[in-house]
Structure formats: structure tokens, C-alpha cells
Amino acid sequence: RRPFSWEQHQLNGRAPDGMGRRMLPAMELVASTSPMMLRPTSHVADRMAAPMMTVPPIQPLLLSAFGPPLLGFIRSEYGVSYAYGGAMALTGALAMAYAPHKLAAAHALALTAYGIRLNIFLLYRELSIPYFRAMRERIETKAPKRLSRTPFIVSCGLLYFCMGAPLRLTAMAAPTPVAAVAVGCMYVGFGIAALGDLVKTVSKAREGESSLVTAFPFSVLRHPNYTGEMFGWTASVVAAIASAVTAGVGFKSAAAWIGASLFGVLGINFVLAQAATGLETRQRDKYGETEEYKRWVSRSWAGVTLPPKPKQS
């Protein structure tokens, strides 16, 4: 039933609650000066009932992205390992606190879960596997002096900030089916990456660091951790753009965040493609003459890689 406004009461010639007609002028004066006394008409009530989209403020997002890379001043490798996972976990947690609907919360949770899982894995690997401790020390010996690392650390923070930008877009818009499917694909991609890390760690522990891992998911994807991550981060941007386009978010409001999201996904996918290309080359050099490697390569996919560098003669 449509609620009555004060104007309708006046037209009807009677005041609410049985008060006499002589009280109307005084009550209208109170209503005009006190919004709390005015009952909303239907169009005002509809606007009040509409959900308000909330987004996390930019300052904490900047802190969550640029804060963790400061670990790179302690050890150079930490700026791209624990800082990477920490920035994603913090950014996702912050976005979840402001999520206006379940899809935005699920999108943010994917980043938080990814970051926590990655850092737990990295910590286990550093504490339990001597090979990775030695690799960390090799990286540190070649790293520039601490203050000279500042440009690289700042660039990492910028990349992490842009990787979290899609969360703003899904929070700015109402949920859409396309965005929901894309967020689901994020979980698939990050799940593949996590499974790849787990299977490789267990296989290397059982058969030795020099063994070639070909069990599932490596039987299908030669580098599932890199390929899975690329799939997940790409799906994150697809979810954001789908939300912005199909839910009618204004271009001025969305343009900068779409640009940041594209920069983030292109940046991280380039890094992952570089890593996959390097690993592909090392495996070919190490196992290329074995029949096991040849069979494995013939039935599996390397994922997105870059053209190999020509060998220097």
C-alpha cells in the first residue's frame, strides 16, 4: 500500500491520527523543519530501500599493496614471495570488510585465500627444503644494496595494487551472472596452482630434487602453478569488467580502475610467462634426451610462454 504524504492528508481535509483540521498548519510547519516527522512517499521509500554499494577506501588499499614489499629490504627475494602473498591476503581481507554483496565478498575471499595459502607454502618450503634456502641465499648475494632496491620495491607495490583493483569494480556494481562465473573460474585457477605446488613438493620429497614430475596435473599442464595463476588473475579482471559494463557503472567512475586492472593482469601474466619459459628451458636442457621427457612433452601443454632467447654461440 502506498504511504500517504502530508500533501495527501491536506487534500483529504484531515490530519493523521484523528487530529482536527485546525492542527494541520502547525503540524505542516513542524514537518517542514523536521525531516524525521515527514513520512516518505513511495519513490523516496524505494530509493531508501535500494542497496548502497560500498567500496574500500583507497588509503588502506595502498597500504596493503605497498606495505608488504618493504620485506624486500630485509631479503631481496621476500619482496616477490612473502610480500606477494601478504599483499594479496591483506587487500582481499580489506575488500571483504566493505563487500556490499556476496559476489564482491567471494571475489575478495579468493585473493585472501590465495595469499594465505601461498605464504604458508613458501614458509614450509623455506624451513623444510635445503635447496630453497640455498637458492634464497644465492639471490641475496646477487641482489643490489638495500637502498638501491627501492625502485624495484615500489614497482612491486604498484603491481600488487593494480592486481587488487578488480575488487573495487565488483564492489561498485550489482552482481551479474558473467561476473559470478568469472569469480568461480578464479577459484578453479588458484586451485590448480595450489594442487601443482602440493604434488610437486610431495613428488620431489619422495623421489629427489632431480626427479621429473609428470603426475596429474603435470600430466596435462607442464607448469600448473604458473598456468593456474594466469587463469585465475585473468578471470579476476574479467569479473571486474563484466560487473562494470553490464551493471551500468559510470565510465568516469570505472575507467581508471579498469585501466589499473588491465595493467595488473598484464604485469603479473608477463612475470608468470617469464617464469614458465625459464622453467621450460631448464627442464629441456636437463631431461631433453630422456624418453620420459619426450613422452611427457608430447601429451602435455606448457601454458603461455615467451619466445625462448637465442643461445649465444
Side-chain angles (χ1 to χ4, degrees):
R1 180 179 176 183
R2 179 182 175 123
F4 287 98
S5 65
W6 285 101
E7 292 79 8
Q8 288 171 311
H9 283 302
Q10 189 174 20
L11 288 173
N12 292 339
R14 55 187 294 238
D17 302 325
M19 287 181 286
R21 194 178 301 176
R22 64 182 181 276
M23 296 294 294
L24 266 175
M27 294 183 68
E28 287 173 348
L29 177 61
V30 173
S32 66
T33 57
S34 176
M36 295 299 293
M37 295 292 292
L38 182 62
R39 296 183 66 186
T41 57
S42 61
H43 68 280
V44 176
D46 290 342
R47 288 196 312 188
M48 289 174 64
M52 296 181 64
M53 297 302 167
T54 58
V55 293
I58 295 179
Q59 292 87 345
L61 283 176
L62 289 169
L63 183 61
S64 66
F66 285 87
L70 297 177
L71 291 171
F73 286 120
I74 300 174
R75 288 189 181 276
S76 178
E77 187 264 341
Y78 287 173
V80 293
S81 57
Y82 294 112
Y84 176 28
M88 296 302 100
L90 289 173
T91 300
L94 178 64
M96 275 197 294
Y98 286 85
H101 48 73
K102 291 182 179 179
L103 182 61
H107 194 178
L109 178 61
L111 266 71
T112 299
Y114 169 81
I116 293 173
R117 193 282 306 176
L118 177 63
N119 277 2
I120 291 174
F121 170 70
L122 293 173
L123 181 62
Y124 165 79
R125 196 173 67 172
E126 183 176 1
L127 296 178
S128 304
I129 304 176
Y131 170 80
F132 288 101
R133 288 198 298 273
M135 183 175 67
R136 180 199 65 194
E137 296 304 324
R138 287 198 303 271
I139 294 173
E140 191 65 21
T141 57
K142 298 178 182 179
K145 293 182 178 180
R146 282 179 170 78
L147 288 181
S148 301
R149 302 172 191 176
T150 301
F152 179 72
I153 288 172
V154 171
S155 66
C156 287
L158 177 62
L159 176 62
Y160 301 154
F161 177 79
C162 291
M163 289 171 67
L167 301 182
R168 290 266 303 192
L169 290 169
T170 50
M172 290 165 63
T176 65
V178 175
V181 171
V183 169
C185 289
M186 285 182 65
Y187 284 87
V188 172
F190 292 156
I192 291 172
L195 180 62
D197 285 337
L198 176 63
V199 170
K200 191 168 189 176
T201 300
V202 172
S203 297
K204 293 283 187 179
R206 290 177 177 176
E207 302 175 17
E209 283 295 329
S210 62
S211 62
L212 179 64
V213 181
T214 59
F216 183 82
F218 293 88
S219 57
V220 180
L221 301 170
R222 290 206 287 280
H223 316 296
N225 46 348
Y226 299 138
T227 305
E229 278 199 43
M230 293 178 75
F231 185 72
W233 292 123
T234 303
S236 177
V237 175
V238 170
I241 295 177
S243 295
V245 171
T246 60
V249 176
F251 177 77
K252 289 183 178 180
S253 301
W257 292 103
I258 290 176
S261 299
L262 292 173
F263 178 84
V265 73
L266 291 174
I268 189 60
N269 282 353
F270 177 75
V271 171
L272 293 168
Q274 274 189 320
T277 302
L279 183 56
E280 183 80 359
T281 300
R282 292 193 300 274
Q283 287 178 335
R284 183 170 57 248
D285 293 343
K286 188 173 183 178
Y287 308 108
E289 300 301 320
T290 67
E291 291 300 320
E292 180 185 22
Y293 176 82
K294 293 176 182 178
R295 288 194 303 269
W296 179 50
V297 170
S298 66
R299 64 174 187 263
S300 60
W301 182 45
V304 179
T305 56
L306 303 176
K309 294 180 180 180
K311 293 184 178 180
Q312 296 178 352
S313 56

